[in-house]
Amino acid sequence: MVKISKITINYQEQPLGITKIEQAGWVILSDHSNVIQKSYHIQLSKDHEFRTLIYDTGVVFSDQSAHISIENIEYESLTEYFLRIKITTEDGEESNWEVSKCVTAFLSTKEWKGNFITAESVQDVDKSKGTYLRKQFEIKGKVKKAYLCSTALGLYHVFLNGKKLEQDEFAPGWTSYKKHLLYQIYDVSELIEDVNVIGAMLGAGWFKGTMGFTRKRNHYGDYSAFLCQITLIYEDNRSEIIVTDGSWDAADSPVLFSEIYDGEYYDAKKEILNWCNKECTYLEWKRASTVNWGYEYLIPQSGCKVCEIDQINVKSVMITPKGEIVLDFGQNLTGWVEFTVVGKKNERVELQCFEVLDSNGNVYIENLRSAKQKVTYLCKGEGEEKYHPFFSYQGFRYVHIMEYPGEILEKNFNAYTVHSNMSVTGDFECSNVLINQLQHNILWGMKSNFLDIPMDCPQRDERLGWTGDAQIFSRTASFLMDTYLFYRKWLVDLAADQIAEGGVPHVIPDIISGKSDGDEMLEQGTHSAAAWADAAIIIPWTMYLVYGDKEILRQQYQSMKNWIDFMKKHSKNNIWNYKLQFGDWVALDAQPGSFYGATPNDLTCTAFYAQSTYLFVKILKVLEKENEALEYLNLYQNIKNTYQETFFDKEGHIISNTQTANILSLYFNLVPTDKISMVTKDLVELLDKENGHLVTGFVGTPYFCHVLSENGQTKKAYDLILQETYPSWLYQIKQGATTIWEHWDGIKEDGTMWNPDMNSFNHYAYGAVGDWLYRNVAGIDTSEENPGYKHIIIKPHIGELNYVRASYNSIYGSIKSSWIRNDDYIILSVSIPCNTYATVYFTDAKTVSSEEKIECMPTEDGYKADILSGDYTFSYQV
Ligand code: BGC
């Protein structure tokens, strides 16, 4: 039996708030093997019974089950559309119709009729306080459907008749607000009563609060503001809108202060009883004022909203040697603590969140730099009170309880993680418990830093969308979770914030350009660093590989081209280098006291210039821009020739013989073919010189294991990842890390810390080694020719582990690869989803047999087999 198990519309299930069906896709399930779709049939209707069709593909003979665009439909705003799909398979089976639905957003920004309104006044420009806005309205008939569209300058929570709408946190998210502002849509049909009150709580957030390590505020404007439009559709098809305007009630909220870095100060006594209900009797509401802000950049948010995700209980309550009362949640995370308290009026709860204890076991907050991460709550004194911050999040494992009325009971405190809600797609487990903890830390580094934008870290006065960190981790992230909508949204801001000449800012959204005074490093330049700015090319390309999605390449085409042209313009004879470069950031081969590793900038920059140009050529071919592809291929060849002439000596060794210089040259195919084994040997010698330890930074580390296993040094790659002494991934695990550290020596062997100026214990960058675990150890990859895992490559590199078990939930369904090793005897189990095909490689195999009697062909270094969907078990001898 064949069936469609999941339909996605623009990468979401049943999305609310799209402007068209850009891409539909589905997952096929069957109890047979070898299932290939023969045809599909799609229909679209405004009624659930499909009585009137507005689109009908008829039977289309094609095996395409992803990225199907539905063209030439005249969509209407705020309208429900039903989509149904039926397929047949090559072996003659037919599925039932499977139905999904979506709701459109405003199709034109002209549909916005209200004004942005604020409860703040000119005295509040430099404040980060919270406010209330509300409006009471009555309906004029029986309501069939009601949608609420809203956004804010700042952060907001929206309520209807006392109920918060959905679980959204940190709405409307962080974008380059002046060029790209997201709005949210809620179906409120079920909440509408005869008399209604709509309310919003506003906070400063990224919009006007203090952000950036030069601690500037008001990056986008001076007033927090709210924009809202409720559309009521009556049974008789009349419609009515309620919009934000000067008639709305306004007041200060109990949030006296709230900022991203410093935390929140909440005075519960200032809560207005029933503020968002018709029962409210408060008489001192002021009138809201309007704020000038256009609608032209308003775009509906496409999924991936920030939410509370996991609840974590207190693991222990401790008293430090200094006498501080500390809660330990046992896990470094990003989110907040929710507590309950019974206190008298004005009694306080005061907490400070932090990541690690110092070597004496006391509270350590120096690495937060100027970020306070403090939460203060004043009780109203009316029994049990419950609270967590509204507009601030903290990065922490520990909480210092500075004040709390009454006994501190574990049950009164819970931590919650808060991050972009992406579905979990990847899983990896093996026989080594330390590697399993590393996998856990990689995942938690991701959970901690994907809070609407890809952040560098969640605790100190930074939390910015550093492009390099995002680029390095993007492939690993895209195995662990469905990142498509997350990165696609962020890439819009990357393109929006690119300088006119094409340079790419170091952080996106860019709040540092023009505001770097006082920062010695950034005064040298705020855009266009190698490996950082290359996020402009590498992330769209990664999305193409993982999802087979050409749309994101089309969206980013101009941005990518501008970036390559920027490098070209500023290169001299094909050597690219420019103002502030981060080099092999925080590599251990740096000069004492320096952050920049020993690999020269000319080499790092030119290697990335070559690689990005090379990827751009491939992208141009995908986009069928053949002439341009030739032009950039020519550029690439020139860069590559110059690279080889400049950075290699006569014998073919790399002149600046660092680990990273060898790694980049190998990974980016910049080594002449006949010198690859020699350069690999040079790299291995450098590794041996360090007794099997890496000394690489952000740039070399992600590719280290890859270049070893791809160049016949699988054993060395395993030794490297299994290394337990400093510096190594497992060293931090043995030191008790629960997320990935920024520095190999965040906590040194003697228990002292690396410089507090820059010592995050929750930086996902070095977690990029996950990509090697998934693609090379478990061996789950996609072919580049047929990406998105339509053609799956299973190619495990077997090493010093007894077993490995991994799965990845692709757009076509679940892929699994597991192996068990018994000396030189391997059992490999593989699952391949319907409507895909796979090539399985048995590297170094002498003979291969399979329960399913699959034919295996010899290769240069083993065997391979081509298979279709189903479950398979192979055994082989190495
Ligand atoms: C950030 C990094 C970032 C770097 C750039 C740091 O302060 O935390 O992760 O990539 O600056 O040099």
Side-chain angles (χ1 to χ4, degrees):
M1 204 191 73
V2 68
K3 66 171 193 176
I4 294 174
S5 68
K6 172 169 137 183
I7 294 178
T8 56
I9 297 173
N10 303 356
Y11 288 85
Q12 299 170 73
E13 288 181 65
Q14 309 206 354
L16 176 61
I18 61 166
T19 48
K20 63 172 180 178
I21 301 180
E22 195 178 78
Q23 302 196 30
W26 52 91
V27 173
I28 302 168
L29 284 188
S30 169
D31 46 10
H32 304 308
S33 301
N34 306 331
V35 175
I36 291 288
Q37 176 182 293
K38 183 175 181 191
S39 70
Y40 68 79
H41 189 171
I42 303 178
Q43 294 180 333
L44 192 65
S45 174
K46 285 205 269 180
D47 63 89
H48 189 257
E49 280 77 40
F50 291 82
R51 282 185 299 262
T52 324
L53 298 183
I54 48 177
Y55 180 80
D56 188 351
T57 57
V59 174
V60 179
F61 289 95
S62 163
D63 72 346
Q64 197 182 344
S65 57
H67 317 300
I68 296 187
S69 66
I70 295 189
E71 304 286 350
N72 302 324
I73 309 279
E74 293 214 1
Y75 292 101
E76 291 162 44
S77 293
L78 302 182
T79 303
E80 251 178 342
Y81 290 89
F82 296 92
L83 178 89
R84 67 177 180 182
I85 302 172
K86 175 194 256 267
I87 60 143
T88 64
T89 64
E90 288 288 353
D91 52 12
E93 285 197 305
E94 185 177 60
S95 75
N96 289 330
W97 286 109
E98 182 67 27
V99 182
S100 181
K101 73 167 189 180
C102 54
V103 179
T104 47
F106 290 141
L107 296 178
S108 154
T109 53
K110 292 205 179 72
E111 297 189 51
W112 288 100
K113 302 294 178 211
N115 289 305
F116 280 87
I117 56 167
T118 186
E120 292 188 321
S121 63
V122 70
Q123 291 90 332
D124 301 320
V125 167
D126 290 331
K127 291 188 188 145
S128 294
K129 68 176 193 185
T131 55
Y132 284 135
L133 287 161
R134 78 189 294 271
K135 170 86 185 172
Q136 184 160 323
F137 65 94
E138 286 176 29
I139 55 168
K140 302 182 183 114
K142 202 161 171 8
V143 172
K144 185 166 70 180
K145 262 312 187 197
Y147 294 104
L148 186 151
C149 300
S150 53
T151 187
L153 308 178
L155 297 173
Y156 79 109
H157 294 278
V158 62
F159 301 75
L160 186 60
N161 300 328
K163 189 173 181 305
K164 177 169 149 64
L165 300 184
E166 296 185 13
Q167 304 302 314
D168 301 10
E169 302 293 345
F170 296 94
W174 190 6
T175 50
S176 184
Y177 295 125
K178 290 185 176 164
K179 305 165 202 159
H180 179 209
L181 175 61
L182 300 177
Y183 68 91
Q184 288 67 44
I185 305 185
Y186 306 94
D187 181 343
V188 292
S189 314
E190 302 296 315
L191 296 177
I192 292 286
E193 296 169 11
D194 292 345
V195 180
N196 302 277
V197 178
I198 159 105
M201 286 181 76
L202 268 81
W206 301 290
F207 184 87
K208 68 169 281 198
T210 306
M211 288 300 300
F213 40 76
T214 54
R215 293 203 70 111
K216 302 270 186 304
R217 55 171 304 128
N218 299 66
H219 286 276
Y220 300 94
D222 292 337
Y223 301 98
S224 61
F226 181 55
L227 176 72
C228 174
Q229 186 157 325
I230 298 188
T231 305
L232 301 170
I233 304 161
Y234 292 109
E235 290 282 1
D236 58 7
N237 285 333
R238 272 178 310 131
S239 68
E240 188 193 353
I241 56 171
I242 288 102
V243 299
T244 36
D245 59 23
S247 71
W248 282 51
D249 297 331
D252 285 350
S253 83
V255 178
L256 302 190
F257 169 87
S258 190
E259 281 197 359
I260 301 287
Y261 297 155
D262 288 347
E264 194 161 293
Y265 193 109
Y266 187 93
D267 185 350
K269 304 188 307 293
K270 296 208 160 29
E271 286 171 358
I272 297 176
L273 188 65
N274 290 325
W275 74 276
C276 185
N277 276 318
K278 53 180 182 280
E279 289 77 22
C280 185
T281 52
Y282 185 70
L283 295 173
E284 287 163 56
W285 293 105
K286 295 191 203 95
R287 288 285 80 79
S289 349
T290 58
V291 169
N292 244 344
W293 195 276
Y295 310 130
E296 61 271 35
Y297 298 114
L298 282 171
I299 293 179
Q301 182 174 25
S302 47
C304 213
K305 292 172 159 190
V306 175
C307 302
E308 261 188 4
I309 310 274
D310 317 272
Q311 181 192 318
I312 315 273
N313 301 332
V314 175
K315 295 287 170 304
S316 66
V317 183
M318 56 173 106
I319 312 279
T320 68
K322 277 193 186 162
E324 300 140 327
I325 304 172
V326 169
L327 305 179
D328 178 5
F329 285 94
Q331 173 62 52
N332 208 11
L333 60 95
T334 299
W336 46 57
V337 181
E338 182 177 87
F339 56 80
T340 44
V341 58
V342 180
K344 296 197 194 87
K345 192 170 171 180
N346 260 337
E347 277 189 320
R348 291 153 69 100
V349 179
E350 189 157 83
L351 316 171
Q352 186 167 32
C353 297
F354 65 101
E355 288 191 294
V356 286
L357 297 167
D358 70 12
S359 51
N360 299 317
N362 293 314
V363 173
Y364 183 77
I365 53 166
E366 280 74 2
N367 71 326
L368 306 177
R369 300 197 306 219
S370 71
K372 295 197 181 69
Q373 294 220 111
K374 251 191 198 169
V375 174
T376 308
Y377 179 89
L378 298 189
C379 297
K380 55 188 169 203
E382 294 166 11
E384 190 171 278
E385 301 176 39
K386 192 177 206 168
Y387 166 84
H388 68 68
F390 285 81
F391 302 113
S392 180
Y393 65 85
Q394 286 73 49
F396 64 101
R397 167 176 168 167
Y398 299 97
V399 177
H400 178 191
I401 309 228
M402 301 163 102
E403 274 185 61
Y404 183 83
E407 197 187 344
I408 294 168
L409 299 173
E410 292 183 13
K411 69 174 175 60
N412 289 337
F413 299 87
N414 280 308
Y416 288 87
T417 66
V418 176
H419 60 82
S420 295
N421 197 359
M422 300 165 284
S423 58
V424 174
T425 46
D427 193 25
F428 178 93
E429 193 207 316
C430 69
S431 52
N432 183 304
V433 285
L434 296 177
I435 296 285
N436 290 341
Q437 181 67 38
L438 173 64
Q439 161 63 14
H440 169 97
N441 293 8
I442 295 170
L443 177 66
W444 278 77
M446 176 169 185
K447 288 163 77 65
S448 305
N449 285 300
F450 278 57
L451 201 154
D452 207 57
I453 60 150
M455 300 188 292
D456 55 337
C457 54
Q459 72 298 81
R460 66 178 179 226
D461 51 2
E462 214 154 340
R463 316 181 188 196
L464 303 173
W466 282 97
T467 47
D469 310 43
Q471 178 273 109
I472 292 162
F473 193 66
S474 58
R475 187 73 198 258
T476 301
S478 304
F479 176 85
L480 294 173
M481 293 192 201
D482 182 358
T483 57
Y484 179 83
L485 293 170
F486 178 86
Y487 283 125
R488 183 166 170 171
K489 168 242 178 205
W490 184 72
L491 287 170
V492 170
D493 295 302
L494 185 146
D497 282 349
Q498 239 167 317
I499 65 163
E501 230 191 341
V504 180
H506 300 325
V507 301
I508 300 292
D510 181 16
I511 53 157
I512 59 175
S513 293
K515 300 194 180 136
S516 54
D517 48 308
D519 186 86
E520 224 177 275
M521 187 174 83
L522 291 182
E523 277 176 358
Q524 299 167 53
T526 56
H527 65 83
S528 304
W532 271 249
D534 296 287
I537 303 275
I538 295 172
I539 298 182
W541 175 248
T542 302
M543 294 296 99
Y544 172 69
L545 289 180
V546 173
Y547 298 98
D549 184 280
K550 294 185 188 167
E551 203 43 52
I552 202 158
L553 301 181
R554 284 188 205 109
Q555 174 188 294
Q556 296 303 117
Y557 162 73
Q558 200 56 48
S559 151
M560 296 190 275
K561 182 170 157 54
N562 292 352
W563 168 237
I564 303 287
D565 291 349
F566 179 89
M567 288 191 278
K568 187 172 164 209
K569 185 165 171 201
H570 292 275
S571 62
K572 285 197 195 96
N573 302 325
N574 299 316
I575 298 291
W576 141 256
N577 196 341
Y578 185 80
K579 295 191 182 173
L580 174 65
Q581 292 297 325
F582 302 118
D584 188 17
W585 185 246
V586 295
L588 293 169
D589 54 9
Q591 294 292 321
S594 160
F595 295 132
Y596 311 94
T599 310
N601 284 343
D602 271 3
L603 183 146
T604 315
C605 290
T606 309
F608 272 91
Y609 179 27
Q611 173 69 357
S612 281
T613 307
Y614 179 62
L615 295 180
F616 189 51
V617 171
K618 295 198 206 192
I619 289 166
L620 290 168
K621 287 189 185 155
V622 173
L623 296 178
E624 294 170 29
K625 294 179 187 287
E626 300 298 337
N627 291 340
E628 258 184 273
L630 278 179
E631 182 192 328
Y632 285 92
L633 179 62
N634 188 31
L635 173 64
Y636 167 68
Q637 273 155 353
N638 291 337
I639 304 168
K640 184 168 173 173
N641 291 342
T642 311
Y643 186 92
Q644 293 181 344
E645 284 155 18
T646 313
F647 300 114
F648 290 81
D649 67 15
K650 286 205 184 68
E651 284 148 33
H653 299 285
I654 293 177
I655 299 169
S656 309
N657 192 22
T658 63
Q659 290 183 352
T660 290
N662 286 283
I663 292 167
L664 284 188
S665 306
L666 286 166
Y667 195 72
F668 292 167
N669 287 316
L670 296 169
V671 180
T673 318
D674 59 334
K675 305 287 185 224
I676 291 177
S677 57
M678 190 176 83
V679 172
T680 309
K681 206 166 138 255
D682 289 349
L683 177 61
V684 169
E685 270 172 24
L686 287 173
L687 190 55
D688 290 343
K689 215 170 96 192
E690 303 289 342
N691 280 327
H693 294 94
L694 42 66
V695 291
T696 48
F698 273 33
V699 167
T701 304
Y703 314 128
F704 209 150
C705 290
H706 281 288
V707 296
L708 291 171
S709 60
E710 275 164 28
N711 291 295
Q713 298 288 342
T714 298
K715 164 104 180 48
K716 288 279 174 192
Y718 271 90
D719 289 349
L720 183 62
I721 200 156
L722 292 169
Q723 178 62 260
E724 293 182 18
T725 55
Y726 169 81
S728 65
W729 285 278
L730 300 189
Y731 165 75
Q732 9 184 306
I733 307 282
K734 294 196 96 175
Q735 292 281 327
T738 58
T739 44
I740 302 285
W741 295 354
E742 178 176 27
H743 289 268
W744 296 118
D745 50 359
I747 299 175
K748 298 184 189 176
E749 280 164 306
D750 63 5
T752 60
M753 310 260 185
W754 159 267
N755 190 337
D757 266 2
M758 215 177 53
N759 200 11
S760 150
F761 293 95
N762 205 349
H763 241 70
Y764 57 56
Y766 288 148
V769 71
D771 179 42
W772 182 74
L773 291 174
Y774 318 140
R775 285 203 289 144
N776 295 62
V777 174
I780 300 177
D781 204 349
T782 177
S783 84
E784 216 173 281
E785 290 68 38
N786 214 343
Y789 300 88
K790 179 79 178 168
H791 178 195
I792 297 158
I793 305 293
I794 302 282
K795 193 175 183 181
H797 287 78
I798 311 291
E800 303 306 308
L801 294 170
N802 296 332
Y803 77 83
V804 169
R805 236 189 330 255
S807 64
Y808 172 69
N809 201 9
S810 73
I811 55 169
Y812 298 101
S814 174
I815 305 167
K816 291 186 185 147
S817 169
S818 317
W819 52 264
I820 302 175
R821 175 193 175 128
N822 203 338
D823 287 334
D824 53 2
Y825 183 73
I826 316 294
I827 298 175
L828 172 66
S829 308
V830 171
S831 293
I832 303 299
C834 292
N835 208 26
T836 65
Y837 60 106
T839 307
V840 186
Y841 290 88
F842 311 95
T843 309
D844 298 330
K846 298 193 184 94
T847 55
V848 185
S849 63
S850 73
E851 286 175 16
E852 297 77 18
K853 309 267 177 294
I854 302 291
E855 190 192 342
C856 294
M857 282 93 58
T859 63
E860 265 177 24
D861 58 353
Y863 282 87
K864 69 172 186 175
D866 290 321
I867 51 176
L868 295 173
S869 67
D871 300 329
Y872 304 87
T873 304
F874 301 93
S875 25
Y876 59 105
Q877 204 90 27
V878 288

